[in-house]
Amino acid sequence: VTLVNWTNEEGVRFQPGLTGSAGFAGLLDGPISGVDGANFHGELARIGYRGDVPAIPVAAYYELHIEQGPVLETAGAPIGVVEGVQGVRWLDVELIGEDRHAGTTPAGDRRDAFMAAAALAIGMREWALALDGSIRLTFGQVVVDPGSINTIPGRAQMGVDIRHADAAVIDRVEAEIQAKVAAMEPGEGVQGQVTRRMDVPPVAFDPVLRGSLQTAADALGLDWRALPSGAMHDASNLARIAPSAMLFVPSRGGISHNEAEWTEPADIAAGVEVLAQAVVRHATRGIDGVGA
Amino acid sequence: VTLVNWTNEEGVRFQPGLTGSAGFAGLLDGPISGVDGANFHGELARIGYRGDVPAIPVAAYYELHIEQGPVLETAGAPIGVVEGVQGVRWLDVELIGEDRHAGTTPAGDRRDAFMAAAALAIGMREWALALDGSIRLTFGQVVVDPGSINTIPGRAQMGVDIRHADAAVIDRVEAEIQAKVAAMEPGEGVQGQVTRRMDVPPVAFDPVLRGSLQTAADALGLDWRALPSGAMHDASNLARIAPSAMLFVPSRGGISHNEAEWTEPADIAAGVEVLAQAVVRHATRGIDGVGA
């Protein structure tokens, strides 16, 4: 049994993160540069953390993480058994209208790229909610040019994050954004284009290992829920080379990527107990002994 | 008769512009600093343009300008007799939600400040069009924080430009924005505040001077239209101290605040003829002779 704390999971200075697990799984290709231009391997050596990748054969991989969402807290369950990791697709939407004088241009003559962007975001939220409530659709980057209070915006750029456990659903969301942008010109006098910035397919975790975590939670008398992961995790990389699974513990208020992120120590302890019991059962009885 | 080309009409380096006419009309108070920190009077002296404000008594003020909008071109009329200048009010709208993880936060738990901003802009456009098609409403400044593609925006800031010839209509638009922002919390989980950045009341030009311009256009056989000005002009300042009026010539495609701004030389010449004839008639016959 090997206990691992992967390096650079979050990916702030060295993007996009999950670096240690990606290296272990053989998914890295070429040097890694930081946002400050620093070299990743050089920085590891500088702080005394650089080693050789050990050729450990992996029979099974289990990972414990905070949920970063509200599902477990809402359900009052201390343990989440993760079904898989949603696919993530990032799109860049660029809309081009025309810079015009805010005071002199009548409503009917405007080609307002921000209004087109706003209508697209509102329309897509409505469409996605109607299709499947579990779609995660976020317009997190919005830049409006020229950004002058007395000029109608001639350009709007949006970075879009789409997530779902089923890649076909992500395809449908992307296709609808493409269709809405293509249909925009008659309505808004705005033309747009949509390009992909990143695409990470969904991962389904191993059903036998998930069963092992459920059995351990049951044996400890801990209520659990099966749920998908909205965030990417190191287990996504390990799943490429070995049977893998994850468990979650609750995040207070579902809050993450925020200074208020918090998990109760008792919940962390419960998660560690489930992890330890599943790993020990797996290591001592073999996978066939799981659930016996 | 004095011919004037007012300094710093546009107001790019030294904001908000209309500086020469504001100084002449006694509306300036205190030193004027540029966006680069330069002093206005010092820069005028440096380029040899600094003078004393002459104590010229003004019996009447006429101004010629491009329309910066599409009304005259659409009407096929070379001359516009300006009824007045719309009032301009600038608002700052700040919306506060909560930064959250784009992948883990379900649709129902989001407090997305950009979505709230988008819904406000779309809702206000619809509301304003239904109230009065001549309202000019522009969301030209939009800033979304933290601006990360995988984080739900916790803050959105919009600079709003509202214009109309009737200050009471501008009041109604501002009140509706205030009401929509106040009503936001139940729907979006977002709280906002609206503050005024600038407020310039509408100006109505002198009816006798407008008649003088109409008479001059008719005498020259030039088709004219009465129309409001969507942009602010030096005549807005002069109207505070003397009977004032303006005439417009067409802007191709109605385009302004854009490199494609253009007026045909023949239209400029027609505008100069009307201006000259109105001024000469006024100067030689007195205002009572106008239209005689």
Side-chain angles (χ1 to χ4, degrees):
Chain A
V1 174
T2 302
L3 186 66
V4 185
N5 182 8
W6 301 107
T7 198
N8 194 38
E9 190 250 24
E10 198 61 43
V12 175
R13 185 178 176 201
F14 296 98
Q15 294 177 350
L18 307 181
T19 313
S21 58
F24 185 82
L27 303 173
L28 291 183
D29 187 17
I32 302 168
S33 293
V35 291
D36 56 355
N39 175 269
F40 186 68
H41 291 89
E43 288 296 280
L44 280 184
R46 189 176 64 77
I47 63 172
Y49 274 62
R50 180 163 184 180
D52 293 321
V53 177
I56 303 175
V58 183
Y61 174 79
Y62 291 90
E63 180 172 341
L64 171 61
H65 205 282
I66 59 167
E67 181 196 337
Q68 303 180 278
V71 174
L72 296 178
E73 185 182 68
T74 302
I79 300 295
V81 176
V82 185
E83 298 163 318
V85 178
Q86 297 182 120
V88 185
R89 192 170 296 170
W90 287 351
L91 305 180
D92 286 303
V93 177
E94 184 177 35
L95 303 176
I96 303 293
E98 190 175 40
D99 297 352
R100 291 284 289 269
H101 193 298
T104 58
T105 312
D109 287 315
R110 292 174 176 232
R111 298 171 54 202
D112 186 325
F114 168 62
M115 280 295 174
L120 176 66
I122 297 292
M124 280 306 305
R125 177 171 66 172
E126 196 173 312
W127 181 91
L129 279 173
L131 180 68
D132 178 344
S134 68
I135 293 169
R136 306 277 184 265
L137 175 64
T138 306
F139 296 82
Q141 284 179 328
V142 183
V143 176
V144 171
D145 286 325
S148 166
I149 193 167
N150 61 354
T151 302
I152 297 164
R155 180 178 174 276
Q157 188 275 331
M158 296 196 289
V160 190
D161 181 300
I162 311 165
R163 306 196 194 204
H164 196 272
D166 180 353
V169 173
I170 295 176
D171 287 341
R172 288 186 64 183
V173 176
E174 179 178 357
E176 184 64 21
I177 291 177
Q178 291 273 13
K180 280 190 162 47
V181 169
M184 207 167 255
E185 201 179 357
E188 302 282 351
V190 171
Q191 282 185 300
Q193 63 176 22
V194 182
T195 52
R196 275 194 203 175
R197 192 195 302 185
M198 189 185 80
D199 185 34
V200 179
V203 173
F205 287 130
D206 186 272
V208 177
L209 270 65
R210 284 159 51 193
S212 160
L213 289 166
Q214 293 164 8
T215 302
D218 286 340
L220 289 160
L222 294 166
D223 194 16
W224 58 268
R225 291 289 182 283
L227 79 177
S229 170
M232 292 182 281
H233 292 287
D234 291 305
S236 309
N237 288 333
L238 269 292
R240 308 275 289 266
I241 60 166
S244 298
M246 288 189 77
L247 73 160
F248 279 164
V249 288
S251 294
R252 186 171 66 192
I255 292 172
S256 187
H257 286 195
N258 183 306
E259 295 87 342
E261 182 176 289
W262 179 259
T263 294
E264 292 298 335
D267 288 333
I268 296 173
V272 170
E273 287 290 347
V274 174
L275 175 67
Q277 186 158 133
V279 169
V280 168
R281 288 172 67 96
H282 194 134
T284 53
R285 305 188 192 181
I287 199 66
D288 289 334
V290 167
Chain B
V1 175
T2 302
L3 186 66
V4 184
N5 182 6
W6 300 107
T7 198
N8 193 39
E9 189 250 24
E10 198 61 42
V12 175
R13 185 178 176 201
F14 296 97
Q15 295 178 347
L18 307 181
T19 312
S21 58
F24 185 81
L27 303 173
L28 291 183
D29 187 17
I32 302 167
S33 293
V35 292
D36 56 355
N39 174 269
F40 186 68
H41 290 90
E43 288 296 280
L44 279 185
R46 189 176 64 77
I47 63 170
Y49 275 62
R50 180 162 183 181
D52 294 321
V53 178
I56 303 175
V58 183
Y61 173 78
Y62 291 90
E63 180 173 341
L64 170 61
H65 204 283
I66 59 167
E67 182 196 336
Q68 302 180 279
V71 174
L72 295 178
E73 185 181 68
T74 303
I79 300 296
V81 176
V82 186
E83 298 162 317
V85 179
Q86 296 183 118
V88 185
R89 192 170 297 171
W90 287 353
L91 305 180
D92 284 303
V93 177
E94 185 176 34
L95 303 176
I96 303 293
E98 190 175 39
D99 296 353
R100 291 285 288 269
H101 194 298
T104 58
T105 312
D109 288 315
R110 292 173 177 231
R111 299 171 54 203
D112 186 325
F114 168 61
M115 280 295 175
L120 176 66
I122 297 291
M124 280 307 305
R125 179 173 63 173
E126 197 172 311
W127 181 91
L129 279 173
L131 180 68
D132 178 343
S134 67
I135 293 170
R136 305 278 183 265
L137 175 64
T138 306
F139 297 81
Q141 283 179 328
V142 183
V143 176
V144 171
D145 286 325
S148 166
I149 193 168
N150 61 354
T151 303
I152 297 163
R155 180 178 173 275
Q157 188 274 330
M158 295 196 289
V160 190
D161 180 300
I162 311 165
R163 306 195 192 204
H164 196 272
D166 179 354
V169 173
I170 296 177
D171 287 341
R172 289 186 66 183
V173 176
E174 179 177 358
E176 183 65 20
I177 291 177
Q178 291 274 14
K180 280 189 161 47
V181 169
M184 207 167 256
E185 202 177 357
E188 303 282 350
V190 171
Q191 284 185 299
Q193 63 175 22
V194 182
T195 51
R196 275 194 203 176
R197 192 194 301 184
M198 188 185 81
D199 186 33
V200 180
V203 173
F205 287 130
D206 186 272
V208 176
L209 271 64
R210 285 159 51 195
S212 160
L213 290 166
Q214 294 164 7
T215 302
D218 286 340
L220 289 160
L222 294 167
D223 195 14
W224 57 268
R225 291 289 183 281
L227 81 175
S229 170
M232 293 182 282
H233 292 288
D234 291 304
S236 309
N237 288 332
L238 269 292
R240 307 277 287 267
I241 58 166
S244 298
M246 287 188 78
L247 73 160
F248 279 165
V249 287
S251 294
R252 186 170 69 191
I255 294 172
S256 188
H257 287 196
N258 183 305
E259 294 87 342
E261 182 177 289
W262 179 261
T263 294
E264 293 297 334
D267 288 332
I268 296 173
V272 170
E273 288 289 347
V274 173
L275 175 68
Q277 185 159 135
V279 169
V280 168
R281 288 172 66 96
H282 195 135
T284 53
R285 304 191 192 179
I287 198 67
D288 289 334
V290 167

